[in-house]
Amino acid sequence: MLYGALEAGGTKMVCAIGDEKGNILEQAKFPTTEPSETMESITGYFKDKEIAALGVACFGPIDLDKSSKTYGYITSTPKTAWKNFDIVGCLKDALGIPIGFDTDVNGSLLGEVTFGCAKELSDALYLTIGTGIGGGVMTNGRLLHGMLHPELGHIRIGKRAYDRGESVCPFHDDCLEGLASGPSIEKRWGKKAIELAGINEVWELEADYLATALVNYCLTLSPKKIILGGGVMHQEQLFCLIRNKFKEKMAGYIVTKELEDIDNYIVPASLNDDQGILGAIKLAMDSLQGE
Amino acid sequence: MLYGALEAGGTKMVCAIGDEKGNILEQAKFPTTEPSETMESITGYFKDKEIAALGVACFGPIDLDKSSKTYGYITSTPKTAWKNFDIVGCLKDALGIPIGFDTDVNGSLLGEVTFGCAKELSDALYLTIGTGIGGGVMTNGRLLHGMLHPELGHIRIGKRAYDRGESVCPFHDDCLEGLASGPSIEKRWGKKAIELAGINEVWELEADYLATALVNYCLTLSPKKIILGGGVMHQEQLFCLIRNKFKEKMAGYIVTKELEDIDNYIVPASLNDDQGILGAIKLAMDSLQGE
């Protein structure tokens, strides 16, 4: 059986066709311009592919509450053309097949849980650190939505006294995204992250902020694995720094077999940047089960 | 049908008999001394009560992993006599009935979700602020355990520059429990919380720390309600301060109908300090369903 997958991002839309084993058979990309144009490209792509269902891992905030009148909508996004856009309804009308729908980061996590490094774990966390910071969460084998959906990038982590940078978040002066996203690194040091690769103090501070956040997520969600993706994490030296600072900050308060094996607890994304599209395939599969 | 409930605390053991409607028919308390003595009182109490099952809401850390060899044990508690004590095994041997088992704070949350102010909510959080700080979490209608169980009291919240106090946590210099528990208030101001009731700066700082933590939990777990219990929360002026600082710190980043009604979002425990025992009754009921 074939499934469609849409990774809906604020700058591009990745469309793919795959199967239940996680094979991606073909892929296409379209720029995210305004809804009528972009959706025509997307529905045109999927129309004759004989897919049984489509999964959508979507930028947000989005409405995931199936009892809500605006279920399937992109809601209060700063991308004004997409604000209050009924993306699920539009796809359902054009394609007439079941549509699975979740956040982009829940999609990435679902990809890792289904086909990647978190296979069969009931409780896991995926965090992406790039232009923004966001995360997907699974608890008791199910993706977490709750009141809305997690907004992990905006937890308050306390600005270090020696940090001369300024938060890039328009809402918060000391949230994780404001102090540790790609743009915040660039603003603080005056260069892009990639040009700062050899400068230790850049990554010491970055790892300190990220490790503080991971300790808080760990104590709150108790995941069995934490997966880190996104552009900033291409700086591979970060992993070792983050793991050491995580242990330092946890200070032995929690003892579990998972934390004893920290190299397998805090890990990079494992699916060559296909975790989102693979998660969308699983969302499509689950939509047939009425999940 | 009758159910037994045990709220197992570090200083006392509360035993009760109740029914599925949340009626508590009788209750007894025994001091927590050493296991052989205390367990004899407990099993003696329950022995002839004709209960169908017993629910235990227990101080921790405890092992909740049913596939583990030490499931049902109290694990690394500082109360040395109880370290690695098989409390579920002991009760099962003595009483020969199904035993439901969870943390004390998950018990309190379950009480509120089943019989109290969070009735029928799928996602909720209960935080107790007293001698220590701890919390129970429900997501997608199920209590959260994950790798271990949440340890909400130990998230790092950043010490305020103007705070002349010192953390009372032996592990962390800026965790919530270290800076906002009852003993930390007493150490900082040199008096018990109850004697400080009229002093604004005490509660402004306390509310600031608690609101920071609640914002972080909200962005991580996305609960539909946050319930605050424990001795410190008997200072009722705290609720208004916490709600205002919560809104200030969230800064409008998330918009939901629940947050718009903040007085019904951050609320006091509703069951006259019986939430733990009522949750234990529900744990007993669920143990018959093999939950």
Side-chain angles (χ1 to χ4, degrees):
Chain A
M1 202 175 272
L2 292 180
Y3 301 95
L6 168 60
E7 198 180 1
T11 56
K12 67 174 190 287
M13 298 283 181
V14 183
C15 301
I17 309 295
D19 65 20
E20 71 285 350
K21 290 185 176 149
N23 297 307
I24 298 171
L25 308 174
E26 57 169 285
Q27 215 178 76
K29 292 178 191 177
F30 306 103
T32 305
T33 58
E34 52 116 20
S36 63
E37 183 182 38
T38 306
M39 296 310 292
E40 202 180 307
S41 305
I42 292 170
T43 54
Y45 173 81
F46 285 117
K47 206 140 208 170
D48 304 313
K49 299 289 201 259
E50 305 199 344
I51 51 176
L54 172 65
V56 183
C58 190
F59 72 101
I62 57 180
D63 188 344
L64 293 168
D65 175 3
K66 287 193 175 172
S67 70
S68 157
K69 273 189 277 190
T70 53
Y71 169 76
Y73 281 55
I74 296 168
T75 58
S76 59
T77 173
K79 293 186 77 71
T80 47
W82 292 84
K83 203 166 174 165
N84 301 321
F85 179 69
D86 179 11
I87 187 166
V88 168
C90 172
L91 291 164
K92 202 167 247 173
D93 286 349
L95 302 171
I97 52 175
I99 310 284
F101 185 58
D102 217 308
T103 61
D104 45 7
V105 278
N106 265 350
S108 292
L109 175 61
L110 191 59
E112 293 287 354
V113 169
T114 312
F115 303 111
C117 69
K119 219 178 269 185
E120 292 174 22
L121 291 184
S122 57
D123 298 77
L125 168 67
Y126 178 93
L127 193 74
T128 180
I129 302 110
T131 311
I133 297 183
V137 176
M138 179 170 276
T139 57
N140 284 315
R142 292 184 63 188
L143 294 171
L144 178 60
H145 301 150
M147 174 177 67
L148 178 72
H149 44 67
E151 281 286 352
L152 297 176
H154 292 271
I155 68 163
R156 316 295 289 258
I157 50 163
K159 198 177 150 187
R160 302 297 172 261
Y162 60 86
D163 177 6
R164 291 155 300 167
E166 253 174 67
S167 172
V168 298
C169 173
F171 294 89
H172 309 123
D173 59 7
D174 66 351
C175 74
L176 184 66
E177 180 168 297
L179 297 174
S181 60
S184 91
I185 297 173
E186 192 176 336
K187 186 177 176 195
R188 180 184 294 111
W189 306 100
K191 287 180 188 173
K192 285 198 180 301
I194 205 160
E195 300 170 63
L196 296 161
I199 302 177
N200 284 347
E201 66 176 322
V202 172
W203 306 108
E204 286 282 340
L205 180 61
E206 179 70 9
D208 198 55
Y209 284 137
L210 289 171
T212 302
L214 297 192
V215 163
N216 285 4
Y217 303 144
C218 178
L219 293 166
T220 307
L221 296 163
S222 209
K224 294 176 180 173
K225 199 180 275 286
I226 295 176
I227 304 154
L228 303 178
V232 172
M233 294 313 300
H234 291 151
Q235 298 292 324
E236 288 175 15
Q237 72 274 25
L238 268 175
F239 281 93
C240 184
L241 291 170
I242 290 170
R243 289 178 189 128
N244 287 338
K245 284 178 191 284
F246 179 94
K247 282 196 285 190
E248 212 176 284
K249 287 172 198 294
M250 195 63 92
Y253 179 71
I254 284 183
V255 181
T256 67
K257 62 180 195 303
E258 290 88 351
L259 293 189
E260 272 163 30
D261 186 14
I262 192 91
D263 291 351
N264 284 311
Y265 186 71
I266 299 173
V267 298
S270 72
L271 295 166
N272 300 314
D273 288 333
D274 281 336
Q275 56 271 18
I277 219 65
L278 288 166
I281 289 173
K282 183 64 162 67
L283 288 173
M285 290 161 59
D286 290 347
S287 74
L288 291 179
Q289 263 70 56
E291 269 268 19
Chain B
M1 201 174 274
L2 292 180
Y3 301 94
L6 168 60
E7 197 179 2
T11 54
K12 67 175 190 287
M13 299 283 180
V14 183
C15 300
I17 308 296
D19 65 20
E20 70 285 351
K21 290 186 178 150
N23 297 306
I24 298 171
L25 308 175
E26 56 168 288
Q27 217 179 74
K29 292 178 190 178
F30 306 103
T32 305
T33 58
E34 51 115 19
S36 64
E37 184 183 36
T38 305
M39 296 309 292
E40 203 180 305
S41 305
I42 293 170
T43 55
Y45 174 81
F46 285 117
K47 209 143 206 167
D48 305 313
K49 300 287 200 259
E50 305 198 344
I51 51 176
L54 173 65
V56 183
C58 190
F59 72 103
I62 56 179
D63 187 344
L64 293 169
D65 175 4
K66 288 197 172 168
S67 70
S68 158
K69 273 189 277 190
T70 53
Y71 168 76
Y73 281 55
I74 296 167
T75 59
S76 59
T77 173
K79 293 187 75 71
T80 48
W82 292 85
K83 203 168 174 163
N84 301 318
F85 179 68
D86 179 10
I87 186 166
V88 169
C90 172
L91 291 164
K92 202 168 247 172
D93 287 350
L95 302 171
I97 51 174
I99 311 283
F101 186 58
D102 216 306
T103 60
D104 44 8
V105 278
N106 266 348
S108 293
L109 175 61
L110 191 59
E112 293 287 355
V113 169
T114 312
F115 302 110
C117 69
K119 220 179 268 186
E120 290 172 24
L121 291 184
S122 58
D123 298 77
L125 168 65
Y126 178 93
L127 193 73
T128 179
I129 303 111
T131 312
I133 297 183
V137 176
M138 179 169 277
T139 58
N140 284 314
R142 292 184 61 188
L143 294 170
L144 178 59
H145 301 149
M147 172 176 69
L148 178 70
H149 44 68
E151 281 286 353
L152 296 177
H154 292 270
I155 68 164
R156 315 296 289 258
I157 49 163
K159 198 177 149 186
R160 304 294 173 263
Y162 60 86
D163 177 7
R164 290 156 300 166
E166 252 174 68
S167 172
V168 297
C169 173
F171 294 90
H172 309 124
D173 59 8
D174 66 352
C175 74
L176 184 66
E177 179 168 300
L179 297 175
S181 60
S184 92
I185 297 173
E186 191 176 338
K187 187 176 175 192
R188 180 185 294 111
W189 306 100
K191 287 181 187 170
K192 286 200 182 297
I194 206 160
E195 299 170 63
L196 297 161
I199 302 177
N200 283 346
E201 65 176 324
V202 171
W203 307 108
E204 285 283 339
L205 179 61
E206 179 70 9
D208 197 57
Y209 284 138
L210 289 171
T212 303
L214 297 193
V215 163
N216 286 2
Y217 303 145
C218 178
L219 294 166
T220 306
L221 296 164
S222 209
K224 293 175 181 175
K225 199 179 274 288
I226 295 177
I227 304 153
L228 304 179
V232 172
M233 295 313 300
H234 290 154
Q235 298 292 323
E236 288 174 15
Q237 73 274 28
L238 268 174
F239 281 93
C240 184
L241 291 169
I242 290 170
R243 289 177 190 130
N244 286 339
K245 284 176 189 285
F246 180 93
K247 283 196 283 189
E248 209 178 287
K249 288 172 197 294
M250 193 64 92
Y253 179 70
I254 283 183
V255 181
T256 66
K257 63 180 193 304
E258 289 88 351
L259 292 189
E260 272 163 32
D261 186 15
I262 193 89
D263 290 350
N264 284 310
Y265 187 69
I266 298 174
V267 298
S270 72
L271 295 166
N272 299 316
D273 288 334
D274 281 335
Q275 56 271 19
I277 218 67
L278 287 167
I281 289 175
K282 183 64 161 70
L283 288 173
M285 290 162 59
D286 290 347
S287 75
L288 291 180
Q289 263 69 56
E291 267 267 20

